[in-house]
Amino acid sequence: MALLEVDQLRVEFLTRNGTLTAVDDVSLKIEEGEVLGVVGESGAGKSMTGNAIIGLLEPPGRIAGGEIRLDGQRIDNLPYEKMRKIRGAEIGAIFQDPLTSLNPLYSVGQQLVETIRTHSDVGLAAARSRALELLNEVGIPAASQRIDHFPHQFSGGMRQRVVIALALSANPRLIIADEPTTALDVSIQAQIIALLKRLCRDHGTAVMLVTHDMGVIAETADRVAVMYAGRIAEIGPVADVIKHAKHPYTDGLMGSIPVVGQQTERLAQIEGAMPRLTAIPDGCAFNPRCPKAFDKCRQTRPDPIASGAGEVACWLIEQEAHHG
Amino acid sequence: MVAFIIRRLLQSLIVMFVVALVAFTLFQFVGDPINQLVGVETGLKEREELRQRLGLNDPWIVQFWRFALNAVQGDFGISYQHKRPVTDLIVNRMPATLELSLISALFSLFVGVPMGVYTGLNRNGFLSKIFMTVSLVGISLPTFLIGILLIFVFSVQLGVLPSFGRGEAVLVGSWSTGLLTSSGIKALILPAITLGLFQLTLIMRLVRSEMLEVLRTDYIKFARARGLSNSAVHFGHALKNTLVPVITITGLQLGSIIAFAIITETVFQWPGMGLMFLQAIQNVDIPIMAAYLILIAFFFVVINLIVDILYYVVDPRLRIDPSAAHGHG
């Protein structure tokens, strides 16, 4: 049994102009200790999926269908208090902006101690020494002094390290990292990703890494899910998806990564833009931009079809299967 | 920190000097105090003598200088009307006003903050909507009308609370307090509510909007994602972050409460400084008016100083610590 199973998850927003579907029949699995990358453009539903898993969808967003299971137990319909005990303890989270993720009025030590004591019955002194241990582990220099410093006394990269320490403080089995490096300098990004990767491997923590950086995925993830307009376009082992993309969208994404040292007049891009949630076309949501679209793509929506070690939501795959 | 406080105290001296100057200039236009002091049958010659004796014939700059020199030594002159030192009069009246102001400030704070938190957390709740609607009344009704309405209901109709006066006061040292007798406490209820109602609604609406703002921040979402309990998130993390504006407004409002106690004191015939000031205006009692205005300026200055110090206590970002080097990641 997988650690986390998301089964046909559907997230909707009730607005004045009707219901918007931000996440549409998304199914994925994360095994114990596995790193699943989730990529896609802004608005593809990556963060929404993450928020739904930790039960922190902000109203008017809500889970309208599907199931989320941790160890086979449903967690999407738990009462707030029960879900609260899972958050932090079983499923941790790291958000995009380390500058705003920490409460400015408490020292990092206070925030760590509070989190540790929320999830385990330890005394103040024990919690503090555990906090110090965590700060050392995430590579905060002179941690014994820094523990009493306030967030504004740390740089962006250091704050993200503190955030990682906080997310790991109760030893969760899964961490949802929602664009953990987007707000950081490029040079810091690599350090943070390496740190996250090392810590999760050491602790055996699974990670759902939400990002729009294919490079980060290639380096870090075991498997990758490509999302487009609220649906999974392609999911599979990272090497397969990157080297032999089957969905034309994934193919386009890979093609648009510039290669260092190669002279090009124009950078490759996918024509057009992702549709708004209010105007998702019939059939495959990608069909207006797809160079290989045919009639069926404009009429019927493809569901993920098993292909190799992964799944692809594209009629081309079905066609190939018929011909082959 | 100490240097900061000393600097602020020096600034406050300048503020008070300017207030005194402005007040004194205005007093040249409020009427002739001699007319209030003597009867109609007093001759011109006697009036002139009195004018000379009180120093009212000197140029106002001379009068001001004389006043300022004495004021620095704590001597605000003799009240024209009461024929007693102004300092004594004020010291007599101050406890009544300060007790009233303090109790209404505490009332508005201890009722307003919880109501603000509640309406912020349960934005669409039925009770929240009632609070918000009722608070409109508190904001839009003038103080004297609220006072009169309360008197009508609780004193005239129900007859449970006194409509005027301060009840029995006992002396604690040189401070006359009404807080130790049951009649004093009963008499305090209506004026305190009247005076505090506007501040209460203001604080409630402020806390509510600040809570709504803070609850949307990333650190609240992250606090929830760490599984912290609701009360820790709401009070430890959210409420504390709303405190800086709340402290500012509460501080400023405490000053206004003391200053605007005039109206409430008039409605309830509360024997405080405000009532005395109003009578002084009617009688062109310049020494009392001047002393009162300077005292109010002093209160404002002190409260602002306390507010500034509280910022440092609440918000670590304001504590400038040269030894803490910024880390590099």
Side-chain angles (χ1 to χ4, degrees):
Chain A
M1 189 195 327
L3 172 64
L4 182 89
E5 291 167 298
V6 175
D7 199 5
Q8 304 215 300
L9 177 71
R10 203 178 160 82
V11 174
E12 286 180 352
F13 281 78
L14 296 170
T15 70
R16 217 171 285 175
N17 303 321
T19 306
L20 300 180
T21 307
V23 176
D24 193 357
D25 282 351
V26 163
S27 300
L28 50 86
K29 277 179 190 166
I30 301 178
E31 300 291 336
E32 203 94 40
E34 180 189 46
V35 179
L36 174 76
V38 179
V39 282
E41 296 170 56
S42 304
K46 318 182 292 286
S47 300
M48 282 301 156
T49 309
N51 287 344
I53 293 170
I54 49 173
L56 287 179
L57 278 175
E58 275 158 47
R62 63 186 183 93
I63 295 177
E67 284 186 12
I68 300 167
R69 288 185 296 269
L70 184 74
D71 278 335
Q73 302 290 317
R74 269 187 85 166
I75 57 168
D76 56 293
N77 57 357
L78 287 182
Y80 187 88
E81 263 308 292
K82 282 210 168 133
M83 190 59 205
R84 176 177 82 71
K85 297 218 164 80
I86 290 179
R87 277 199 291 270
E90 303 284 332
I91 307 178
I94 299 170
F95 296 121
Q96 187 169 355
D97 193 349
L99 302 181
T100 56
S101 286
L102 299 169
N103 190 329
L105 303 188
Y106 293 101
S107 70
V108 300
Q110 285 170 321
Q111 303 193 37
L112 277 162
V113 166
E114 186 185 18
T115 314
I116 293 165
R117 297 191 70 192
T118 300
H119 295 294
S120 61
D121 191 16
V122 293
L124 206 58
R128 193 179 155 88
S129 68
R130 167 92 179 111
L132 200 58
E133 218 172 88
L134 281 161
L135 287 179
N136 274 318
E137 208 180 343
V138 296
I140 303 278
S144 54
Q145 282 132 53
R146 300 293 266 164
I147 190 168
D148 291 318
H149 285 184
F150 290 92
H152 70 277
Q153 292 167 307
F154 290 82
S155 65
M158 283 296 154
R159 281 191 226 187
Q160 196 64 307
R161 286 168 192 262
V162 173
V163 168
I164 292 173
L166 276 163
L168 286 172
S169 58
N171 269 319
R173 295 156 69 202
L174 170 69
I175 283 191
I176 295 180
D178 190 353
E179 310 214 19
T181 57
T182 308
L184 299 174
D185 288 346
V186 178
S187 55
I188 312 292
Q189 285 184 4
Q191 289 178 16
I192 295 294
I193 287 294
L195 174 75
L196 190 62
K197 198 175 159 182
R198 177 173 61 78
L199 286 175
C200 291
R201 200 181 48 225
D202 293 354
H203 291 248
T205 314
V207 183
M208 175 173 155
L209 181 63
V210 175
T211 179
H212 50 240
D213 189 336
M214 266 301 187
V216 167
I217 294 284
E219 253 171 65
T220 320
D222 301 315
R223 286 190 309 129
V224 57
V226 180
M227 286 191 72
Y228 186 81
R231 292 172 66 82
I232 288 186
E234 182 166 359
I235 186 167
V238 74
D240 292 4
V241 174
I242 287 180
K243 295 225 176 71
H244 315 286
K246 287 174 185 139
H247 196 288
Y249 177 62
T250 321
D251 203 30
L253 273 188
M254 296 305 153
S256 57
I257 299 172
V259 181
V260 178
Q262 190 180 312
Q263 294 280 329
T264 37
E265 285 290 305
R266 276 181 76 90
L267 295 174
Q269 58 172 355
I270 308 173
E271 291 295 327
M274 200 172 69
R276 288 162 168 272
L277 291 179
T278 47
I280 293 188
D282 286 341
C284 172
F286 187 60
N287 83 65
R289 300 169 76 186
C290 183
K292 296 174 184 164
F294 52 100
D295 283 349
K296 193 170 185 185
C297 303
R298 296 184 190 92
Q299 287 147 11
T300 322
R301 212 175 59 176
D303 282 320
I305 303 160
S307 165
E311 287 178 3
V312 185
C314 181
W315 291 127
L316 288 170
I317 301 301
E318 194 199 44
Q319 233 180 13
E320 271 170 31
H322 280 297
H323 290 296
Chain B
M1 191 67 189
V2 178
F4 164 79
I5 293 175
I6 292 173
R7 202 164 56 235
R8 286 300 300 268
L9 284 176
L10 287 176
Q11 284 170 358
S12 58
L13 281 182
I14 299 170
V15 169
M16 276 154 55
F17 180 79
V18 172
V19 168
L21 192 66
V22 171
F24 219 79
T25 314
L26 286 175
F27 296 152
Q28 303 305 307
F29 305 102
V30 290
D32 187 357
I34 301 294
N35 279 341
Q36 303 294 329
L37 281 172
V38 298
V40 249
E41 64 276 9
T42 316
L44 275 179
K45 190 162 163 286
E46 282 143 324
R47 283 173 183 247
E48 198 47 47
E49 266 174 25
L50 185 58
R51 200 181 291 276
Q52 193 67 36
R53 193 155 53 81
L54 290 174
L56 292 170
N57 278 339
D58 298 335
W60 76 264
I61 189 80
V62 176
Q63 291 186 40
F64 175 69
W65 186 243
R66 196 163 49 219
F67 168 79
L69 272 187
N70 287 331
V72 171
Q73 299 162 38
D75 175 10
F76 288 93
I78 308 283
S79 157
Y80 296 160
Q81 186 198 359
H82 301 278
K83 314 282 190 294
R84 285 176 56 200
V86 171
T87 315
D88 286 1
L89 287 170
I90 286 186
V91 167
N92 261 333
R93 295 282 195 135
M94 195 152 63
T97 297
L98 288 188
E99 277 180 6
L100 173 62
S101 309
L102 196 69
I103 296 298
S104 17
L106 291 179
F107 161 70
S108 55
L109 211 55
F110 282 101
V111 181
V113 171
M115 276 169 82
V117 172
Y118 181 84
T119 50
L121 292 177
N122 309 289
R123 189 148 50 129
N124 297 317
F126 181 64
L127 200 54
S128 298
K129 287 189 172 145
I130 290 181
F131 283 165
M132 290 306 285
T133 314
V134 172
S135 78
L136 276 179
V137 176
I139 284 208
S140 35
L141 277 190
T143 312
F144 70 90
L145 196 60
I146 293 173
I148 290 169
L149 283 175
L150 287 176
I151 289 176
F152 178 72
V153 174
F154 291 98
S155 305
V156 180
Q157 296 289 321
L158 300 174
V160 284
L161 294 168
S163 62
F164 70 93
R166 200 188 169 200
E168 234 176 296
V170 288
L171 274 179
V172 177
S174 59
W175 184 279
S176 83
T177 178
L179 297 177
L180 297 176
T181 63
S182 65
S183 72
I185 288 173
K186 267 187 168 176
L188 187 61
I189 294 174
L190 289 185
I193 291 177
T194 307
L195 190 54
L197 202 62
F198 176 77
Q199 332 293 337
L200 184 153
T201 49
L202 199 70
I203 289 172
M204 179 193 123
R205 285 174 164 262
L206 181 74
V207 170
R208 180 188 115 96
S209 65
E210 289 293 323
M211 280 296 277
L212 290 177
E213 190 78 21
V214 170
L215 285 174
R216 273 200 296 268
T217 58
D218 288 352
Y219 54 82
I220 293 300
K221 191 177 172 195
F222 189 49
R224 286 193 202 285
R226 281 182 276 148
L228 301 186
S229 70
N230 262 343
S231 60
V233 172
H234 293 159
F235 298 99
H237 288 265
L239 183 61
K240 198 174 175 191
N241 271 286
T242 68
L243 281 186
V244 164
V246 172
I247 289 172
T248 313
I249 296 295
T250 310
L252 288 177
Q253 288 303 317
L254 184 60
S256 324
I257 282 182
I258 296 173
F260 295 120
I262 294 174
I263 297 167
T264 310
E265 287 183 5
T266 311
V267 172
F268 289 92
Q269 288 297 301
W270 187 262
M273 291 188 296
L275 194 58
M276 179 176 75
F277 177 69
L278 217 63
Q279 287 159 355
I281 292 178
Q282 282 157 9
N283 298 317
V284 203
D285 202 338
I286 292 174
I288 288 189
M289 289 193 276
Y292 177 78
L293 288 178
I294 291 173
L295 190 67
I296 293 296
F298 173 73
F299 281 140
F300 266 97
V301 164
V302 169
I303 290 167
N304 280 346
L305 182 65
I306 294 173
V307 164
D308 280 340
I309 294 171
L310 281 179
Y311 286 168
Y312 281 75
V313 176
V314 170
D315 196 335
R317 284 168 293 188
L318 298 173
R319 294 175 212 150
I320 300 154
D321 181 7
S323 65
H326 283 237
H328 295 278

